[in-house]
Amino acid sequence: MALHRLYLVVFALISTMIPVMTLAKEFVVGDGKGWTTNFDYQAWAQGKDFQVGDKLVFNYPVGAHTVLKVNGTGFQNCIKPPASEALTSGSDEIVLTTAGRKWYICGVGTHCETAGQKLSITVQDQSSSVSQAMAVKDTVNYQLFFGVMVAVITLALAF
């Protein structure tokens, strides 16, 4: 019987954590256009809420582009780090692990300098309260509400 209650408590805890874990979003850079030249990535990023834990996905034909993480100066002046730092898979995923400004450029030819293939974003810290995170989407409210209700009912049954 004690083991049964332990399982119910674990289930209740997991039920409350799963909705919060789904708050991370995946952003396909450039949406359907992907990572390409002559696209306004600043306009694409405008109004998007990038949070720690979110993921950027850079889609492009292999060999046509690269993704390089740079600092603010490298972004402004299209200064390329060593080629060994380039992401080249054609479907590069970057998890945003820290808050702050992030800068990315293409390292192929003059794609950054002349074709504007560069992205600058600001990543917000996830330390904001759950209630602020819930305000982002109504669907998150329902997920959290459902998770908490399952946890409460499970705990009530356990004891």
Side-chain angles (χ1 to χ4, degrees):
M1 186 65 168
L3 187 59
H4 178 71
R5 285 188 180 176
L6 176 64
Y7 286 140
L8 287 174
V9 170
V10 170
F11 176 74
L13 291 172
I14 291 172
S15 296
T16 59
M17 292 186 313
I18 287 175
V20 174
M21 291 187 311
T22 63
L23 291 175
K25 296 179 217 156
E26 181 176 287
F27 293 94
V28 177
V29 176
D31 296 322
K33 294 285 257 179
W35 184 236
T36 189
T37 55
N38 301 310
F39 184 86
D40 188 349
Y41 290 100
Q42 295 322 113
W44 172 84
Q46 188 173 5
K48 289 182 173 51
D49 183 29
F50 300 100
Q51 298 281 324
V52 169
D54 289 348
K55 184 190 308 181
L56 297 178
V57 179
F58 293 81
N59 291 323
Y60 56 92
V62 175
H65 304 289
T66 63
V67 179
L68 293 165
K69 184 174 181 179
V70 295
N71 61 23
T73 302
F75 177 81
Q76 296 235 336
N77 300 314
C78 292
I79 300 169
K80 301 171 195 169
S84 62
E85 296 181 24
L87 301 176
T88 60
S89 75
S91 184
D92 303 316
E93 297 183 357
I94 298 173
V95 176
L96 304 172
T97 57
T98 59
R101 297 290 306 233
K102 309 293 177 200
W103 301 273
Y104 305 94
I105 64 172
C106 179
V108 173
T110 60
H111 291 186
C112 178
E113 298 93 326
T114 60
Q117 193 172 3
K118 55 187 187 174
L119 170 66
S120 171
I121 63 171
T122 300
V123 179
Q124 303 298 321
D125 193 0
Q126 277 266 325
S127 67
S128 61
S129 71
V130 172
S131 62
Q132 289 172 332
M134 289 188 326
V136 174
K137 279 190 167 186
D138 288 340
T139 55
V140 174
N141 285 333
Y142 293 118
Q143 288 175 336
L144 285 171
F145 175 75
F146 177 73
V148 169
M149 290 306 296
V150 167
V152 167
I153 291 168
T154 303
L155 288 174
L157 292 173
F159 299 101

